[in-house]
Amino acid sequence: MKPSHVCSLFALVCSTAVSAESYVIGVEKLAFAPHYSIDAQGQYQGFARELFDLFAQTSGVELSYKVLPVEQLLPALLDGQVDLKYPDSETWAQAQKAGKTLSYSQGVVEYVDGMLVAPQRQGQPIEQIKRLAMVNGWTPWGYQERIAAGQIELAYSDDLRQMIRQALRKDTDGAYFNVVVATHYLDSIRARPGALVFDAKLPHTRGSFHLSTVKHSALLKRFDRFLSERQGEVAALKNKYRVEANLDSEYMGLEQWKVDFLERQKAKAISE
C-alpha cells in the first residue's frame, strides 16, 4: 500500500473514532439558574454545564451543546438533530413521544415545582388562591381542576422576571414555578430574599431531571456509572450551585445565613 493511502486510511480511522465519541446535547434556551442559563455570548453555563463537562473529561467523550428554544428541543431529539436532551423525564410530553423509544438516565438532580407566596399568605388554604402567575408553557399541576372550574384565573408571563414582578406587586396571589430557580432569582438577582416563600401546604410536584436519548442508551449507562462513581464530586457541584438546597424547607434554595435571618425575623414578629 502506498504511503498516501496509509495516511488516508489512518485519517479515516481517526475521524471515525472521534465521531463515535462525539455527542451533541440539546439544551434549553432558558434562564433557569442555578441549574442552567445562556450567557451573553450564547454559551451554556451553570450546574448542568459543569456536570456534563466533568463527565466528558472523566469518560473520554466529547460533548457539545446545542441551545434551542424549549418547544424545539424534543422535536430535535426525535428527528436526530441532537444526540441527547436535557432536561427530560419519562412523564413529560408523552403524546409527542408516542411511538418513540427513548432511554433515560437515572435522576441527575431533584426538583420541586410549587407555589411561592408572600410570607403573610403562607399557610392559607388553596381556596384563597384566586389569581395565579405562570410562565407560558408551564403546567400548574394540582391546580387544574380549580382552573377548569373558573375558581383560579391564570396570569401568564413571558419569563420568570415578569412572573415574579406580578407576584411582588400583588397582582396575583402567588406564582407557580421551579422553587429553587425562583428563589435564586429573588435572592441573587432581585436582592429580595424571602419576599416570596414556598408554601409546602399548597399543591406542588416533586421530580428529577434526566438526560434522554433515542439512539445512545449505552452512553447513558456510562453516564449513570459516572453519577454513581463520582458521587462526591457531583454532590460538591450540587452544593456549589445549591440546586437541591433546602428541598424540604419553606426556605428552599436560600443560603443558610439568610434562612437564619428569616427565622429570627419570624421569631421576633411572633414575640411582639
Side-chain angles (χ1 to χ4, degrees):
M1 184 179 293
K2 294 182 179 179
S4 61
H5 291 168
V6 173
C7 292
S8 297
L9 179 60
F10 178 75
L12 177 62
V13 170
C14 289
S15 175
T16 302
V18 170
S19 176
E21 289 296 322
S22 298
Y23 304 93
V24 178
I25 303 180
V27 296
E28 297 180 337
K29 186 178 182 181
L30 189 66
F32 207 70
H35 287 276
Y36 50 86
S37 59
I38 311 302
D39 67 17
Q41 289 71 46
Q43 297 299 307
Y44 191 55
Q45 60 182 5
F47 163 77
R49 173 64 188 262
E50 283 208 43
L51 180 73
F52 294 136
D53 282 356
L54 180 62
F55 169 59
Q57 294 163 10
T58 58
S59 304
V61 300
E62 182 179 317
L63 297 177
S64 58
Y65 306 92
K66 186 169 185 177
V67 178
L68 292 168
V70 175
E71 66 276 9
Q72 296 179 20
L73 190 49
L74 180 58
L77 176 69
L78 299 179
D79 292 343
Q81 299 173 37
V82 297
D83 300 305
L84 306 112
K85 174 184 182 293
Y86 185 83
D88 205 349
S89 169
E90 292 183 59
T91 63
W92 297 356
Q94 293 182 346
Q96 289 178 269
K97 295 174 180 177
K100 303 285 187 177
T101 301
L102 276 72
S103 299
Y104 299 87
S105 72
Q106 67 185 53
V108 174
V109 62
E110 302 299 310
Y111 72 86
V112 173
D113 292 343
M115 181 77 76
L116 292 106
V117 299
Q120 62 270 26
R121 294 187 63 97
Q122 194 174 30
Q124 292 186 0
I126 191 172
E127 289 77 14
Q128 297 297 317
I129 303 297
K130 302 299 183 182
R131 186 169 166 82
L132 176 59
M134 288 277 298
V135 173
N136 286 319
W138 278 71
T139 301
W141 300 111
Y143 299 85
Q144 296 97 319
E145 288 187 10
R146 298 188 66 81
I147 293 168
Q151 296 168 330
I152 294 178
E153 177 187 358
L154 294 180
Y156 283 107
S157 299
D158 291 332
D159 54 30
L160 171 62
R161 177 183 58 83
Q162 293 181 2
M163 181 192 71
I164 292 296
R165 182 189 302 151
Q166 283 186 315
L168 290 176
R169 291 169 54 184
K170 300 181 181 180
D171 293 339
T172 66
D173 300 315
Y176 185 94
F177 204 69
N178 179 285
V179 180
V180 164
V181 174
T183 303
H184 173 82
Y185 175 81
L186 282 164
D187 182 13
S188 303
I189 300 174
R190 285 298 299 267
R192 295 283 302 276
L196 297 175
V197 294
F198 172 53
D199 195 333
K201 294 182 180 179
L202 291 172
H204 57 278
T205 300
R206 289 180 177 269
S208 54
F209 294 150
H210 303 254
L211 188 62
S212 67
T213 188
V214 174
K215 300 178 180 178
H216 303 288
S217 57
L219 180 65
L220 290 192
K221 292 179 180 178
R222 293 168 66 183
F223 181 65
D224 284 347
R225 286 198 300 273
F226 158 79
L227 292 177
S228 177
E229 294 171 357
R230 303 276 180 160
Q231 288 183 36
E233 291 162 276
V234 173
L237 281 177
K238 288 182 178 181
N239 185 59
K240 173 183 175 180
Y241 284 97
R242 301 189 64 76
V243 289
E244 291 180 343
N246 299 314
L247 278 189
D248 296 309
S249 165
E250 63 187 275
Y251 303 119
M252 192 178 303
L254 284 179
E255 297 178 32
Q256 189 57 48
W257 73 268
K258 296 185 179 71
V259 173
D260 296 339
F261 170 78
L262 292 170
E263 283 294 330
R264 289 195 300 271
Q265 292 293 97
K266 182 185 292 186
K268 180 179 178 181
I270 292 173
S271 64
E272 291 178 349

